[in-house]
Amino acid sequence: MAHIHSCVGKDDRRAVAILLALAALGLAVRFGPLARRGAPPGAVAYRAREVRPERDSVAARALRLARPLARGDSVDLDRAPADEIARLPRIGPALAARIVDDREANGPFGSLEALDRVSGVGPGLLTAIEPYARFSSRGVPRSVLEPRSATPGTPVSLNTATELELAQLPGIGPSRAAAIVADRARNGRYARIEDLQRVRGIGPATIERLRSRVRVP
């Protein structure tokens, strides 16, 4: 009898241990990382493979933007974003952002000469970027590139024109028109068209584009 009692005791202890293990497993399934949120108790959800964003393309773009332009490379200044334009020689992020802002305000450039209308762009910089610059709007009619330009007619007087009249001139726009009027009030009348270069952002290329459209006095 003692032997039978001993065997029963072992079996009971084993059963209790198994029950405790099953209970612990149930708690782990219910509250552990494999439990699906909102699922009934005891339901097991397999963890889906974590979807990570594509990093290769991001890294490749970062490497490409950091790489200097090689011979044969080019940047479309009529379409490229600021970070692409910043790859050009002597053009940093700030100037690239101004180029994009000017393009959005006044339309595509269409030529290297027209880029001179951007503040901070001068003959030296134009020479440096010429091998790498291209313009997808080159050859597009001026009426399309500059929809706000005035119809050719009587030249506008630089010394009496209003901001609105000046803003219609090619390569000027509202911000430069305001700058011209402010410069005129501060520094006096223009004696010749070349005096417009005292306004920031207006260079020789812009002067040539305006020569037949303005008059002094």
Side-chain angles (χ1 to χ4, degrees), residues 1-161:
M1 291 291 293
H3 175 71
I4 294 174
H5 181 74
S6 174
C7 291
V8 171
K10 289 181 180 179
D11 290 341
D12 288 343
R13 288 195 295 273
R14 183 179 300 169
V16 170
I18 292 173
L19 289 174
L20 289 175
L22 290 173
L25 179 59
L27 289 174
V29 169
R30 182 173 182 178
F31 299 105
L34 293 179
R36 185 173 69 241
R37 183 174 297 178
V44 177
Y46 294 98
R47 183 186 298 273
R49 181 179 179 183
E50 184 178 359
V51 178
R52 297 184 178 181
E54 287 287 341
R55 296 187 180 275
D56 289 343
S57 58
V58 175
R61 176 174 171 79
L63 288 174
R64 181 171 58 80
L65 293 176
R67 177 176 58 83
L69 290 168
R71 179 175 296 180
D73 289 343
S74 64
V75 175
D76 183 357
L77 286 158
D78 285 334
R79 295 180 182 275
D83 55 1
E84 290 277 359
I85 294 174
R87 298 177 66 202
L88 290 165
R90 298 176 56 180
I91 293 185
L95 181 52
R98 289 203 301 274
I99 290 172
V100 172
D101 289 343
D102 183 281
R103 187 179 69 200
E104 292 178 352
N106 301 305
F109 301 103
S111 67
L112 191 68
E113 293 75 18
L115 194 65
D116 184 63
R117 76 192 190 204
V118 179
S119 174
V121 174
L125 187 142
L126 293 177
T127 300
I129 69 173
E130 185 175 9
Y132 309 102
R134 64 184 167 87
F135 300 87
S136 57
S137 297
R138 186 185 298 275
V140 176
R142 182 63 61 188
S143 59
V144 175
L145 292 180
E146 297 176 356
R148 289 182 294 179
S149 298
T151 302
T154 304
V156 174
S157 172
L158 288 178
N159 290 313
T160 61

